[in-house]
Amino acid sequence: MSARFDAIGMVVSDMAASVAFYRRLGFAFPEGAEEQGHVEAGLPGGLRLLLDTEEVVRSFHTEWEPPSGGGRTSLALRCDSPAEVDALFAEMAGAGSRVELKPWDAVWGQRYAVLLDPDGNGVDLFAPLPAGD
């Protein structure tokens, strides 16, 4: 037997807000996902992003409590270019997404920015900088 990485699961406090946020980033959730307690979006390579409401989690784990002090999870989304990092960041911020770090050229050679999803989890946007920058 061999375990393999299959999915990333996140607990959300507001399914509609989370689905809207991740759809804007390009995740394909099924129609009507906003009204569900559990939803999945397929990712490249066969992975899946799973979202469950707090109510669903408490239905099988009655003692579960959300973490305090902010998000503990982050997703890193690779963009095709530094310009795409800036454009996607501007689109998301313009739509009301919370901003943690505005785009900057990181010392490790990437254009990088960080948004927060509706539950405070980080969503990093990055792209390699052209050589010599």
Side-chain angles (χ1 to χ4, degrees), residues 10-55:
M10 299 173 70
V11 180
V12 301
S13 58
D14 181 337
M15 184 63 81
S18 294
V19 167
F21 177 87
Y22 286 106
R23 274 186 179 148
R24 189 171 280 114
L25 286 169
F27 290 77
F29 287 101
E31 190 67 31
E34 304 83 354
E35 306 300 320
Q36 303 299 312
H38 170 86
V39 296
E40 301 183 10
L43 303 173
L47 293 175
R48 298 169 295 143
L49 177 63
L50 316 175
L51 302 180
D52 289 287
T53 63
E54 293 175 358
E55 294 77 20

Side-chain angles (χ1 to χ4, degrees), residues 11-128:
V11 180
V12 301
S13 58
D14 181 337
M15 184 63 81
S18 294
V19 167
F21 177 87
Y22 286 106
R23 274 186 179 148
R24 189 171 280 114
L25 286 169
F27 290 77
F29 287 101
E31 190 67 31
E34 304 83 354
E35 306 300 320
Q36 303 299 312
H38 170 86
V39 296
E40 301 183 10
L43 303 173
L47 293 175
R48 298 169 295 143
L49 177 63
L50 316 175
L51 302 180
D52 289 287
T53 63
E54 293 175 358
E55 294 77 20
V56 164
V57 172
R58 284 193 189 102
S59 76
F60 60 84
H61 185 353
T62 58
E63 302 298 315
W64 182 86
E65 292 295 328
S68 61
R72 296 181 181 203
T73 301
S74 67
L75 301 177
L77 305 180
R78 183 180 179 137
C79 297
D80 289 333
S81 68
E84 185 181 1
V85 170
D86 293 349
L88 185 53
F89 178 87
E91 176 187 332
M92 296 297 292
S97 296
R98 293 183 294 162
V99 170
E100 183 160 296
L101 294 171
K102 293 180 179 180
W104 85 98
D105 291 343
V107 297
W108 55 84
Q110 295 174 332
R111 185 72 173 165
Y112 219 92
V114 182
L115 300 165
L116 297 176
D117 78 1
D119 290 292
N121 297 301
V123 176
D124 304 355
L125 307 176
F126 73 95

